[in-house]
Amino acid sequence: MTDIAPPSSPVAGPGAVELGADVYPAGSRYANEDLRPVPIAERRWTTYNFVALWIGMAHCIPSWTLASGLVALGMDWRQAVLTIGLANVIVLFPMLLTGHAGPKYGIPFPVLARASFGIRGANLPAMVRAAVACCWFGIQTWIGGQGIFVLLGKIFGGWADVSEVGGYPWTLWLCFVIFWVLELAIIYRGMDTLRRFENWAAPFVLVGAVVLLIWIANKAGGFGPLLHEPSKLGWGADFWKVFFPGLMGMIGFWSTLSLNIPDFTRFGKGQRAQVWGQTLGLPTTMTVFALMSVLVTAGSEKVYGVAIWDPVALAGKTDNVFGLLFALITVFVATISVNIAANVVSPAYDLANLAPKLINFRRGALITGVVGVLIMPWKLTSTPELYIFTWLGVVGGLLGTVAGILIADYWIIRRTALHLADLYVAGGRYWYRAGWNWRAVAAFVVGGVLAVGGAYSTVNEKGVKQGPLPVDGLIPFFKPLADYGWAVGLGASLAVYLTLMAGKRRA
């Protein structure tokens, strides 16, 4: 199990590995220029670049409203911020573990997955991750288009008083399409363009959030009664029933990136840059952002008599044209920043891995954009129960299962030693049987069934089911595990994979 040969590739710098042009099997059907290891000279993302990446991704409308979802479920603001902060500290650890392969080998997530699932088998976790990203891309693009539509409606009167197409004003569809095109135009120019965009987008969005906080605080003369509103759940049994599935849902929010973070860290200058960048960027940003959303909402309740959790709706309350334009640009930049980084980069690489000779990074991005529109996933945010428990919970469970296998293989079995060239050729160390490692597939199935087999829909106070799943769970026997889906999936798949791989002499 631990008979590991040292990496067969030349090493330059502190542990960094690269393949020379004479070693890289460019002619292989499993290789193309987008999947090729990033040369060491081109790994130049610094700590700031990773911090900026996370600030840009975290400062978006869905993450702003995460706290609102928990408060709507009965938590007070302290409980909501605590849950979000703890979830992001927890998800940071697998993020750093899977991210390690990026600066060391310069490889993206689907290529890393080849070591455990096999050259062909890696398409299984890659397509799971790509499907989730396409759904998120649709959600974020629709939200961004709606935000622009609302703010333009305040600036140009009568913007919404037009004929409807498919139940929505045609001007809303116009905002949606323009937003969609601009997103794909940025990512089409490549990862270096994304890095430069995130560098200035992050501080701009942060300033926008602070401006919104100062504005509402000034109007409210304080932060209103919401900060003194007691929890509807208390700290007893009722709280824990919401806390654990809520915690798993919050982990599920970024469990997507805990898999494909090598897509970004492969451009890192070294481990220090990705470790410090992610540690400073993710848990701190998300916790502060959640606190700001609570404070702003508390101020809105005092000023307008009702808690307004949607930052776009709140910004639309001002009659100042400059303020509306600033809010419009902030929403625009914030949503593009998170969507292209979190929801286009990964499926672009994942689809390229599916057919490297037919699909490159740019074509993968375009396919993501089309699929993200066709599946119309905005309905997933219709209720907090559906959004947090069903959508985020199921996604977290499945992706936690994949993370368990990657971590077990890369850290415990291989001790971070990979033979880089063999990740791109048939018949090598990672070919297993016909390109598939059945042990990884078995661990994925077992972990997935345990994690999401008991997924269920809740029932509201009126007895109405909130979601498409059975109230008793898909598999009633596993329903008690559903509230802990991410942790169950990660732990179960890790244990099963290690057991099945015991004694396997494979580097």
Side-chain angles (χ1 to χ4, degrees):
M1 179 172 170
T2 58
D3 185 17
I4 309 290
S8 58
S9 310
V11 177
V17 180
E18 71 178 354
L19 287 178
D22 57 334
V23 180
Y24 179 68
S28 169
R29 62 180 297 187
Y30 303 105
N32 67 21
E33 284 303 307
D34 294 308
L35 299 177
R36 178 177 184 161
V38 176
I40 290 176
E42 296 177 20
R43 301 178 201 174
R44 48 178 175 258
W45 285 37
T46 64
T47 297
Y48 174 76
N49 294 137
F50 287 110
V51 171
L53 177 73
W54 275 113
I55 292 175
M57 289 196 296
H59 289 175
C60 61
I61 298 172
S63 62
W64 179 278
T65 56
L66 280 180
S68 67
L70 293 175
V71 172
L73 294 171
M75 290 188 182
D76 64 18
W77 72 272
R78 298 174 187 83
Q79 293 170 331
V81 172
L82 171 66
T83 303
I84 292 171
L86 179 60
N88 283 280
V89 169
I90 292 173
V91 81
L92 175 66
F93 289 99
M95 200 90 66
L96 296 177
L97 292 176
T98 54
H100 182 277
K104 184 170 183 178
Y105 296 103
I107 55 177
F109 156 65
V111 174
L112 173 63
R114 293 175 178 182
S116 51
F117 282 85
I119 302 292
R120 290 174 172 168
N123 287 315
L124 172 61
M127 287 301 98
V128 170
R129 174 65 183 94
V132 171
C134 288
C135 289
W136 272 122
F137 178 83
I139 290 173
Q140 293 274 16
T141 302
W142 183 254
I143 289 174
Q146 284 182 314
I148 294 171
F149 171 77
V150 169
L151 293 173
L152 285 177
K154 289 288 294 184
I155 298 173
F156 305 108
W159 178 256
D161 300 327
V162 296
S163 58
E164 293 188 351
V165 176
Y168 296 98
W170 69 262
T171 46
L172 173 56
W173 289 111
L174 177 63
C175 293
F176 174 68
V177 171
I178 292 174
F179 194 76
W180 179 83
V181 169
L182 285 173
E183 287 177 316
L184 293 184
I186 292 174
I187 198 63
Y188 193 79
R189 294 180 63 85
M191 290 294 290
D192 205 47
T193 299
L194 173 63
R195 177 179 64 87
R196 292 194 296 269
F197 179 80
E198 295 289 352
N199 281 350
W200 70 264
F204 183 87
V205 174
L206 185 59
V207 169
V210 172
V211 167
L212 185 62
L213 177 65
I214 294 173
W215 170 70
I216 196 67
N218 183 61
K219 290 182 70 70
F223 289 112
L226 186 64
L227 297 184
H228 301 96
E229 185 73 21
S231 169
K232 297 180 178 67
L233 305 173
W235 288 93
D238 290 339
F239 168 73
W240 299 112
K241 289 178 182 178
V242 175
F243 171 76
F244 285 110
L247 181 69
M248 293 300 108
M250 297 305 105
I251 291 173
F253 190 78
W254 288 124
S255 63
T256 51
L257 269 294
S258 70
L259 289 188
N260 76 286
I261 195 65
D263 294 344
F264 301 95
T265 61
R266 67 191 297 227
F267 298 96
K269 276 191 170 183
Q271 298 300 338
R272 182 182 179 88
Q274 74 102 1
V275 169
W276 278 106
Q278 294 202 80
T279 302
L280 294 173
L282 172 58
T284 53
T285 297
M286 283 296 293
T287 303
V288 170
F289 208 51
L291 179 60
M292 289 176 66
S293 73
V294 170
L295 292 174
V296 169
T297 305
S300 73
E301 185 172 39
K302 185 170 183 180
V303 174
Y304 300 107
V306 60
I308 303 174
W309 286 98
D310 184 348
V312 174
L314 181 58
K317 291 287 186 180
T318 181
D319 294 321
N320 184 287
V321 175
F322 175 79
L324 286 168
L325 286 173
F326 181 78
L328 176 67
I329 296 172
T330 302
V331 169
F332 186 81
V333 172
T335 309
I336 286 184
S337 177
V338 65
N339 218 13
I340 61 178
N343 304 319
V344 178
V345 171
S346 172
Y349 282 125
D350 296 337
L351 290 165
N353 187 72
L354 185 65
K357 294 306 179 184
L358 296 176
I359 304 174
N360 58 19
F361 180 82
R362 288 181 170 85
R363 290 174 185 166
L366 293 176
I367 293 172
T368 300
V370 173
V371 174
V373 172
L374 292 178
I375 58 179
M376 299 180 294
W378 51 82
K379 295 180 181 179
L380 292 170
T381 58
S382 58
T383 69
E385 292 87 357
L386 180 60
Y387 180 49
I388 293 176
F389 292 169
T390 304
W391 167 241
L392 291 180
V394 170
V395 165
L398 285 177
L399 299 184
T401 299
V402 177
I405 296 169
L406 294 184
I407 292 169
D409 184 81
Y410 181 71
W411 282 95
I412 301 176
I413 293 178
R414 306 189 191 283
R415 311 292 173 85
T416 76
L418 298 176
H419 291 257
L420 209 45
D422 277 4
L423 289 169
Y424 296 90
V425 295
R429 292 174 175 84
Y430 311 113
W431 188 244
Y432 297 100
R433 183 174 297 177
W436 288 78
N437 181 6
W438 68 266
R439 298 167 184 83
V441 175
F444 175 78
V445 171
V446 172
V449 170
L450 291 175
V452 305
Y456 61 93
S457 294
T458 57
V459 177
N460 63 17
E461 296 86 353
K462 299 179 180 179
V464 178
K465 187 174 71 167
Q466 303 294 296
L469 303 177
V471 174
D472 293 331
L474 292 171
I475 305 175
F477 182 76
F478 293 128
K479 183 178 179 180
L481 300 178
D483 290 346
Y484 315 94
W486 181 82
V488 169
L490 189 148
S493 64
L494 186 149
V496 171
Y497 184 76
L498 289 179
T499 300
L500 295 177
M501 288 291 287
K504 192 68 178 173
R505 299 167 63 86
R506 192 177 279 271

